mmCIF file of all heavy atoms in Angstrom:
data_model
loop_
_atom_site.group_PDB
_atom_site.id
_atom_site.type_symbol
_atom_site.label_atom_id
_atom_site.label_comp_id
_atom_site.label_asym_id
_atom_site.label_seq_id
_atom_site.Cartn_x
_atom_site.Cartn_y
_atom_site.Cartn_z
ATOM 1 N N ARG A 140 100.367 106.715 90.724
ATOM 2 C CA ARG A 140 98.921 106.936 90.734
ATOM 3 C C ARG A 140 98.677 108.261 91.422
ATOM 4 O O ARG A 140 99.135 108.468 92.543
ATOM 5 C CB ARG A 140 98.192 105.818 91.488
ATOM 6 C CG ARG A 140 98.330 104.468 90.797
ATOM 7 C CD ARG A 140 97.574 103.365 91.534
ATOM 8 N NE ARG A 140 97.894 102.079 90.937
ATOM 9 C CZ ARG A 140 97.529 100.900 91.452
ATOM 10 N NH1 ARG A 140 96.822 100.873 92.571
ATOM 11 N NH2 ARG A 140 97.852 99.777 90.860
ATOM 12 N N GLU A 142 96.958 109.746 93.432
ATOM 13 C CA GLU A 142 95.980 109.562 94.516
ATOM 14 C C GLU A 142 95.420 110.920 94.939
ATOM 15 O O GLU A 142 96.165 111.899 95.047
ATOM 16 C CB GLU A 142 96.655 108.893 95.729
ATOM 17 C CG GLU A 142 97.246 107.518 95.467
ATOM 18 C CD GLU A 142 96.237 106.386 95.683
ATOM 19 O OE1 GLU A 142 95.102 106.656 96.131
ATOM 20 O OE2 GLU A 142 96.600 105.228 95.377
ATOM 21 N N VAL A 149 104.785 106.449 103.261
ATOM 22 C CA VAL A 149 104.934 105.534 102.116
ATOM 23 C C VAL A 149 103.730 104.603 101.949
ATOM 24 O O VAL A 149 103.695 103.791 101.037
ATOM 25 C CB VAL A 149 106.212 104.685 102.228
ATOM 26 C CG1 VAL A 149 107.432 105.586 102.322
ATOM 27 C CG2 VAL A 149 106.153 103.745 103.422
ATOM 28 N N MET A 150 102.764 104.719 102.850
ATOM 29 C CA MET A 150 101.624 103.800 102.777
ATOM 30 C C MET A 150 100.686 104.152 101.626
ATOM 31 O O MET A 150 100.142 103.263 100.976
ATOM 32 C CB MET A 150 100.832 103.837 104.082
ATOM 33 C CG MET A 150 101.685 103.556 105.260
ATOM 34 S SD MET A 150 102.011 101.826 105.344
ATOM 35 C CE MET A 150 100.855 101.455 106.583
ATOM 36 N N ARG A 151 100.437 105.413 101.450
ATOM 37 C CA ARG A 151 99.617 105.816 100.296
ATOM 38 C C ARG A 151 100.304 106.966 99.588
ATOM 39 O O ARG A 151 100.134 108.126 99.911
ATOM 40 C CB ARG A 151 98.187 106.185 100.711
ATOM 41 C CG ARG A 151 97.290 106.438 99.491
ATOM 42 C CD ARG A 151 95.823 106.361 99.803
ATOM 43 N NE ARG A 151 95.386 105.051 100.226
ATOM 44 C CZ ARG A 151 95.210 104.003 99.400
ATOM 45 N NH1 ARG A 151 95.426 104.119 98.099
ATOM 46 N NH2 ARG A 151 94.825 102.847 99.873
ATOM 47 N N CYS A 152 101.156 106.604 98.659
ATOM 48 C CA CYS A 152 101.964 107.581 97.926
ATOM 49 C C CYS A 152 101.365 107.825 96.561
ATOM 50 O O CYS A 152 100.427 107.149 96.152
ATOM 51 C CB CYS A 152 103.342 107.025 97.647
ATOM 52 S SG CYS A 152 104.286 106.703 99.059
ATOM 53 N N ARG A 153 101.954 108.717 95.842
ATOM 54 C CA ARG A 153 101.638 108.833 94.415
ATOM 55 C C ARG A 153 102.638 107.988 93.630
ATOM 56 O O ARG A 153 102.278 107.235 92.755
ATOM 57 C CB ARG A 153 101.653 110.292 93.997
ATOM 58 C CG ARG A 153 100.535 111.071 94.723
ATOM 59 C CD ARG A 153 100.213 112.351 94.037
ATOM 60 N NE ARG A 153 101.337 113.268 94.052
ATOM 61 C CZ ARG A 153 101.430 114.319 93.268
ATOM 62 N NH1 ARG A 153 100.475 114.590 92.378
ATOM 63 N NH2 ARG A 153 102.461 115.113 93.359
ATOM 64 N N PHE A 155 105.121 104.867 93.949
ATOM 65 C CA PHE A 155 105.426 103.769 94.862
ATOM 66 C C PHE A 155 105.989 102.572 94.093
ATOM 67 O O PHE A 155 105.866 102.489 92.876
ATOM 68 C CB PHE A 155 104.199 103.372 95.692
ATOM 69 C CG PHE A 155 103.013 102.924 94.874
ATOM 70 C CD1 PHE A 155 102.775 101.569 94.670
ATOM 71 C CD2 PHE A 155 102.137 103.839 94.311
ATOM 72 C CE1 PHE A 155 101.683 101.142 93.918
ATOM 73 C CE2 PHE A 155 101.043 103.422 93.553
ATOM 74 C CZ PHE A 155 100.810 102.080 93.362
ATOM 75 N N MET A 157 106.249 98.618 93.313
ATOM 76 C CA MET A 157 105.345 97.481 93.365
ATOM 77 C C MET A 157 105.923 96.305 92.600
ATOM 78 O O MET A 157 106.570 96.473 91.573
ATOM 79 C CB MET A 157 104.004 97.871 92.720
ATOM 80 C CG MET A 157 102.886 96.862 92.972
ATOM 81 S SD MET A 157 101.698 96.774 91.639
ATOM 82 C CE MET A 157 100.670 98.177 91.971
ATOM 83 N N GLU A 218 93.638 100.946 106.975
ATOM 84 C CA GLU A 218 92.483 101.614 106.376
ATOM 85 C C GLU A 218 91.278 100.689 106.244
ATOM 86 O O GLU A 218 90.175 101.145 106.021
ATOM 87 C CB GLU A 218 92.855 102.160 104.988
ATOM 88 C CG GLU A 218 93.858 103.299 105.037
ATOM 89 C CD GLU A 218 94.159 103.849 103.654
ATOM 90 O OE1 GLU A 218 94.794 103.147 102.851
ATOM 91 O OE2 GLU A 218 93.733 104.981 103.381
ATOM 92 N N GLU A 281 96.369 96.669 103.644
ATOM 93 C CA GLU A 281 96.498 95.802 102.471
ATOM 94 C C GLU A 281 97.927 95.870 101.948
ATOM 95 O O GLU A 281 98.411 96.929 101.580
ATOM 96 C CB GLU A 281 95.520 96.255 101.372
ATOM 97 C CG GLU A 281 95.584 95.350 100.158
ATOM 98 C CD GLU A 281 94.907 95.940 98.933
ATOM 99 O OE1 GLU A 281 93.810 96.519 99.044
ATOM 100 O OE2 GLU A 281 95.507 95.833 97.842
ATOM 101 N N VAL A 282 98.592 94.713 101.914
ATOM 102 C CA VAL A 282 99.964 94.693 101.403
ATOM 103 C C VAL A 282 100.079 93.950 100.073
ATOM 104 O O VAL A 282 101.097 94.030 99.389
ATOM 105 C CB VAL A 282 100.954 94.104 102.433
ATOM 106 C CG1 VAL A 282 101.163 95.073 103.588
ATOM 107 C CG2 VAL A 282 100.469 92.756 102.960
ATOM 108 N N GLY A 283 99.029 93.225 99.717
ATOM 109 C CA GLY A 283 99.057 92.535 98.431
ATOM 110 C C GLY A 283 97.649 92.271 97.942
ATOM 111 O O GLY A 283 96.693 92.270 98.727
ATOM 112 N N HIS A 284 97.541 92.055 96.641
ATOM 113 C CA HIS A 284 96.223 91.805 96.058
ATOM 114 C C HIS A 284 96.413 90.898 94.846
ATOM 115 O O HIS A 284 97.253 91.190 93.988
ATOM 116 C CB HIS A 284 95.598 93.147 95.638
ATOM 117 C CG HIS A 284 94.144 93.036 95.309
ATOM 118 N ND1 HIS A 284 93.362 94.139 95.049
ATOM 119 C CD2 HIS A 284 93.320 91.976 95.209
ATOM 120 C CE1 HIS A 284 92.121 93.749 94.787
ATOM 121 N NE2 HIS A 284 92.069 92.431 94.884
ATOM 122 N N GLY A 316 99.681 91.718 92.736
ATOM 123 C CA GLY A 316 100.515 92.845 93.174
ATOM 124 C C GLY A 316 100.958 92.733 94.621
ATOM 125 O O GLY A 316 100.238 92.222 95.480
ATOM 126 N N ILE A 317 102.178 93.213 94.879
ATOM 127 C CA ILE A 317 102.640 93.401 96.265
ATOM 128 C C ILE A 317 103.198 94.819 96.369
ATOM 129 O O ILE A 317 103.986 95.251 95.526
ATOM 130 C CB ILE A 317 103.754 92.397 96.659
ATOM 131 C CG1 ILE A 317 103.180 90.980 96.805
ATOM 132 C CG2 ILE A 317 104.404 92.811 97.985
ATOM 133 C CD1 ILE A 317 104.191 89.932 97.266
ATOM 134 N N GLY A 318 102.790 95.530 97.402
ATOM 135 C CA GLY A 318 103.275 96.894 97.616
ATOM 136 C C GLY A 318 104.605 96.849 98.340
ATOM 137 O O GLY A 318 104.657 96.860 99.570
ATOM 138 N N SER A 320 107.136 99.084 98.541
ATOM 139 C CA SER A 320 107.467 100.258 99.361
ATOM 140 C C SER A 320 106.480 100.412 100.520
ATOM 141 O O SER A 320 106.873 100.773 101.629
ATOM 142 C CB SER A 320 107.528 101.531 98.510
ATOM 143 O OG SER A 320 106.351 101.707 97.749
ATOM 144 N N ARG A 321 105.196 100.078 100.288
ATOM 145 C CA ARG A 321 104.238 100.147 101.392
ATOM 146 C C ARG A 321 104.624 99.192 102.517
ATOM 147 O O ARG A 321 104.410 99.467 103.697
ATOM 148 C CB ARG A 321 102.822 99.818 100.897
ATOM 149 C CG ARG A 321 101.786 99.819 102.015
ATOM 150 C CD ARG A 321 100.386 99.465 101.542
ATOM 151 N NE ARG A 321 99.736 100.558 100.815
ATOM 152 C CZ ARG A 321 98.476 100.500 100.380
ATOM 153 N NH1 ARG A 321 97.750 99.409 100.585
ATOM 154 N NH2 ARG A 321 97.943 101.513 99.725
HETATM 155 P P1 ATP B 501 94.348 100.346 97.659
HETATM 156 O O1 ATP B 501 92.990 99.740 97.872
HETATM 157 O O2 ATP B 501 95.192 100.380 98.932
HETATM 158 O O3 ATP B 501 94.328 101.621 96.915
HETATM 159 P P2 ATP B 501 94.743 98.926 95.207
HETATM 160 O O4 ATP B 501 93.622 97.949 95.219
HETATM 161 O O5 ATP B 501 94.616 100.158 94.417
HETATM 162 O O6 ATP B 501 95.125 99.305 96.727
HETATM 163 P P3 ATP B 501 96.511 97.244 93.663
HETATM 164 O O7 ATP B 501 96.228 97.949 92.403
HETATM 165 O O8 ATP B 501 95.979 95.878 93.848
HETATM 166 O O9 ATP B 501 96.086 98.156 94.897
HETATM 167 O O10 ATP B 501 98.074 97.289 93.939
HETATM 168 C C1 ATP B 501 98.802 96.241 94.554
HETATM 169 C C2 ATP B 501 99.464 96.697 95.843
HETATM 170 O O11 ATP B 501 100.185 97.914 95.665
HETATM 171 C C3 ATP B 501 98.473 97.002 96.959
HETATM 172 O O12 ATP B 501 98.098 95.824 97.640
HETATM 173 C C4 ATP B 501 99.285 97.931 97.847
HETATM 174 O O13 ATP B 501 100.100 97.172 98.726
HETATM 175 C C5 ATP B 501 100.160 98.673 96.873
HETATM 176 N N1 ATP B 501 99.643 100.033 96.612
HETATM 177 C C6 ATP B 501 98.544 100.363 95.896
HETATM 178 N N2 ATP B 501 98.363 101.696 95.858
HETATM 179 C C7 ATP B 501 99.396 102.228 96.597
HETATM 180 C C8 ATP B 501 99.786 103.560 96.939
HETATM 181 N N3 ATP B 501 99.066 104.611 96.524
HETATM 182 N N4 ATP B 501 100.891 103.731 97.678
HETATM 183 C C9 ATP B 501 101.625 102.681 98.095
HETATM 184 N N5 ATP B 501 101.313 101.404 97.804
HETATM 185 C C10 ATP B 501 100.216 101.169 97.071
#
Side-chain angles (χ1 to χ4, degrees):
R140 295 181 188 171
E142 300 272 355
V149 302
M150 305 283 259
R151 187 161 296 284
C152 296
R153 296 199 296 164
F155 59 97
M157 192 211 280
E218 292 182 291
E281 182 194 317
V282 288
H284 193 173
I317 289 183
S320 53
R321 178 181 285 184

